Amino acid sequence: MALAHVLGFPRIGAHRELKFAQESFWKGASDEAALRATGATLRARHWQAQADAGLDFVTVGDFAWYDQVLGTLALLGAIPSRFGFDPKQLSLADYFILARGSKQHFAMEMTKWFDTNYHYLVPEWTADVQFNGGVDWLHDEIAEARALGHKVKVALVGPLTLLYQGKIKSGLGHKLDLLPKVVAGYQQLLQRLHAAGIESVQIDEPILALELDAAWRNAFAPVYAQLNAQLSGSAPALLLTTYFGEVSEHAELLRSLPVAGVHLDLVRGADQLEQIVAGWPQDKVLSLGVVDGRNLWRTDLDQVLTKLKPLQAQLGDRLWVASSCSLLHVPVDLANESKLDEELKSWLAFATQKLAEIVALKLALNGKAAEVEAQFVASRAAQASRRSSSRIHNPLVQKRLAAVTAADAERSAGFDARIAKQQAKWQLPAFPTTTIGSFPQTAEIRQARAAYKRGEIGHLDYLDKMREEIRIVVEKQEQLGLDVLVHGEPERNDMVEYFGEQLWGYAFTANGWVQSYGSRCVKPPVIYGDVYRPEAMTVGWSQFAQTLTAKPMKGMLTGPVTMLQWSFVRDDQPRETTALQIALALRDEVCDLEKANIGMIQIDEPAFREGLPLKSRDWPHYLDWAVRAFKISAAGVGDETQIHTHMCYSEFNDILPWIAAMDADVITIETSRSDMELLDGFGEFAYPNDIGPGVYDIHSPRVPQVDEMERLLRKARGVIPDARLWVNPDCGLKTRGWPETYEALENMVLAAKRLRQTVEQERKAA
Ligand SMILES: Nc1nc2c(c(=O)[nH]1)N[C@@H](CNc1ccc(C(=O)N[C@@H](CCC(=O)N[C@@H](CCC(=O)N[C@@H](CCC(=O)O)C(=O)O)C(=O)O)C(=O)O)cc1)CN2
Ligand SMILES: [Zn+2]
């Protein structure tokens, strides 16, 4: 009999209960007990949903108070020693300091989890890091689940993925130097799980979907042999999970690893099945991820069943039906969507619905097709209705896309000619200061928007409130002495959702929250049809903001790649086609802004790096269309119009030439959490256009001091010519409060002024 399971369930709660409990704890408005109680309630609810759906285990270990990688470090005792915490006595408050920083401590670095919009905390590898055991939280959660009567499978981030995803901070030549300690730590952990009677452990090794070099590849067999030897044939059985891509190059390794089973992502890597299944050992489970954990289209159950049936003959009980990856990346429950129309709703499945899909497949395989016939009928109807629906195809859009030429992607002059005209026009000081776009989204702003959405205040009142906010933001920027201003984006709930709401071909949810990092969530819009801009989206706001100041006011848009990457994307046409449709819509907006005398326009592409395929052999194709999409959105303007872009939260060094190929006049880019590591890349590749490497981390409430920022700027001057260097934070300020924002920007402007003085002195001395 086939079994059914998921690799993980979203922890934030259908109504973001965890977010509100975390934030209340951070504010000091509630205590640790209250936060813990909310966590326990959510876990209990999510396990119950899994049990009620008919899964064979509930997954324990997917919960995290902030992030699952940080949680793994806390569990193993491998927290960075620079914080001075005792790993075995770590309190929740300490754990949050690791994640968010404090007056004394920089936060741990945060970066994207593979190619998702989820951010994890980057382990800090030093020679003295320990793996001798840490907090008991996982063990407590297991006890909780059992007390509720559930059959438990424990999920862990695997040792090699954990090591790989960290960064060497000091004292190590190679991350794998830590292997003996790490393995000992996992052995200890597995023993304890065994002692507690755990029979099944899912051990996530998604790095197998990357192109690993020999050192990493070769580490798998000995590591798993050691973990297995320790268990000496006794429980828990290890299920090694791979996801986010195909792993067929490791087919031989996976067949021979001493683990009880292996999980494959058949959504991302449909083609790998044949190669891996051939000669699959008689004693190994094969868990097949057939329900998409990264998107929310309803599964074509017939199609999947057809694929699974022949395998059942081969695998029997050893066939497990699963989600492709953890369901962390999709919203919790479609039942909470009252605003989506019934047709669209019938096309979708959120995490809760996906549980039912997995179980329907399992039951159909196990000879109980009659019990789940209704599910199959509904799935069939959804596929048919999606294929034939008239709301998906827009001939206007398709015709325009077909007519795009290479020239549409090129500015009329090269950078040198453009920047000369732009400088003559704007007369900015050396090291111009600016911000990334958003200013604090205060409770007042959000409440006003919530009241507007509920119909308690009218459209004009809402506009008035937002305009008032813009007035305040402009006034503060003038006081601060910033050189290039922004309107602050108060009217935007989220930079992607806001545009999605105004474009055709997009649907948006009322409650489709997905965790992005810590307590922060997004509601990714759903792209279901051809994308079309019926009217201007931002022009009124930018125009209004420009009337308030004589300084340049940057227009503010989200770029095509990010609009795509942070949405749930249609799966019935290539991603690049959708990206180019969005690019054309944005191009019209950019041209409209220019016509309205907005002379600087920022087109944010924070997800540009995130969209990069995990395997480098797929890079050229992606980079080609992604760069083209950006350029098409930007290239409709004249030479004097200054195009900015912004990127954050990724490692950029390996794609610098393509970032340069986007040919934005100015890029502001996140660098401060990694102490300007970006600049290392400039050794090989000198970025040609203007650049503002972020001088402070906006994701931490800590206020940076003038000296720190001045130091970073001096570092930047080492590789960026003075004439090309801008001064700005790492990213937008929407998540910050006003007092810390104001103070930080005051310090930043001061740092820029000091730099100008230095240059002046250098010039005099010369
Ligand atoms: N899509 C996306 N991905 C991204 C980013 C991003 O900005 N957008 N930034 C990077 C980092 N990630 C981030 C993700 C989310 C947030 C963020 O601030 N999210 C907000 C939600 C934003 C939002 O949609 N807000 C809505 C709804 C806000 C809300 O909760 N309203 C209350 C009512 C108002 C109140 O009383 O507060 C409610 O509905 O219950 C609005 O402003 O209208 C949050 O979690 O708090 C920040 C950074 C990478 N990925
Ligand atoms: Zn950013």
Side-chain angles (χ1 to χ4, degrees), residues 344-355:
L344 206 87
K345 248 175 121 165
S346 78
W347 298 346
L348 305 178
F350 291 7
T352 306
Q353 288 66 43
K354 286 173 190 286
L355 299 178

Side-chain angles (χ1 to χ4, degrees), residues 191-359:
Q191 263 166 352
R192 185 160 167 197
L193 294 176
H194 173 51
I198 291 297
E199 290 172 7
S200 194
V201 173
Q202 163 190 325
I203 194 146
D204 288 3
E205 294 284 15
I207 60 165
L208 283 165
L210 307 177
E211 284 157 329
L212 296 176
D213 65 28
W216 288 96
R217 252 187 349 256
N218 295 337
F220 274 85
V223 164
Y224 281 88
Q226 285 173 69
L227 294 184
N228 194 49
Q230 191 66 28
L231 303 169
S232 60
S234 57
L238 299 183
L239 176 74
L240 181 97
T241 50
T242 69
Y243 46 85
F244 297 154
E246 62 106 26
V247 294
S248 55
E249 63 185 300
H250 305 302
E252 195 42 57
L253 173 73
L254 293 174
R255 278 193 286 267
S256 61
L257 273 184
V259 291
V262 169
H263 170 89
L264 304 176
D265 179 340
L266 290 191
V267 176
R268 284 288 183 91
D271 299 340
Q272 64 184 325
L273 187 58
E274 229 173 290
Q275 231 178 308
I276 294 199
V277 107
W280 191 248
Q282 293 296 317
D283 60 346
K284 270 197 179 51
V285 165
L286 197 55
S287 163
L288 298 178
V290 287
V291 168
D292 198 346
R294 296 286 298 273
N295 212 334
L296 36 64
W297 302 108
R298 196 172 193 143
T299 308
D300 185 340
L301 295 179
D302 287 329
Q303 195 194 45
V304 173
L305 189 65
T306 307
K307 181 146 70 177
L308 293 182
K309 270 204 164 139
L311 293 171
Q312 201 195 14
Q314 179 187 346
L315 296 166
D317 293 353
R318 294 175 295 115
L319 171 62
W320 292 14
V321 187
S323 55
S324 61
C325 58
S326 167
L327 298 176
L328 177 67
H329 312 286
V330 293
V332 178
D333 194 352
L334 188 60
N336 297 324
E337 293 306 321
S338 44
K339 281 195 211 132
L340 291 174
D341 63 87
E342 287 305 316
E343 182 186 44
L344 206 87
K345 248 175 121 165
S346 78
W347 298 346
L348 305 178
F350 291 7
T352 306
Q353 288 66 43
K354 286 173 190 286
L355 299 178
E357 291 186 328
I358 293 166
V359 172

Side-chain angles (χ1 to χ4, degrees), residues 436 606 646-648 730-732:
I436 311 302
H646 162 73
M647 294 187 187
C648 52
D730 264 351
C731 187

